[in-house]
Amino acid sequence: QVQLVESGGGLVQAGGSLRLSCAASGRFFSRYAMGWFRQAPGKEREFVAAVSWTSINTHYTDSVKGRFTISRDIAKNTVYLQMNSLKPEDTAVYYCAADPTWPLVAAPEYWGQGTQVTVSS
């Protein structure tokens, strides 16, 4: 069983930065692939970024490549999403997710409650 709690969302101007954190509890956290998804108003949830349990492999959706960085700290049981050069179209609720498989599947087994990110123009 894995529980995920996100934090770090907020309101930022276009061009600014935010860092999202996802604190995980669970005995086997280090063996799970972790990822971030987002859902904008009126749109379906979409994949943003993922990191393998070894941290060797990462994957990003094209729209955030070069701007977002996913990382994990096994000792702290935490996954991060550093978001730079934010755009209004990045506005969404961001969800942390975990699954035993890599590449991260479209419907991971575990989800956090979400954190709101709003980028003003």
Side-chain angles (χ1 to χ4, degrees), residues 33-39 44-50 59 95-111:
M34 302 294 298
W36 291 92
F37 292 72
R38 65 187 180 186
Q39 187 168 20
E44 293 187 353
R45 189 176 298 183
E46 65 171 352
F47 168 80
V48 176
H59 181 56
Y95 297 90
C96 179
D99 197 271
T101 60
W102 179 264
L104 192 66
V105 297
E109 185 173 359
Y110 300 102
W111 293 90

Side-chain angles (χ1 to χ4, degrees), residues 6-42:
E6 302 97 331
S7 62
L11 174 64
V12 64
Q13 288 187 333
S17 299
L18 282 174
R19 189 177 79 159
L20 305 183
S21 299
C22 174
S25 62
R27 184 176 180 182
F28 301 107
F29 165 75
S30 62
R31 296 300 182 98
Y32 279 72
M34 302 294 298
W36 291 92
F37 292 72
R38 65 187 180 186
Q39 187 168 20

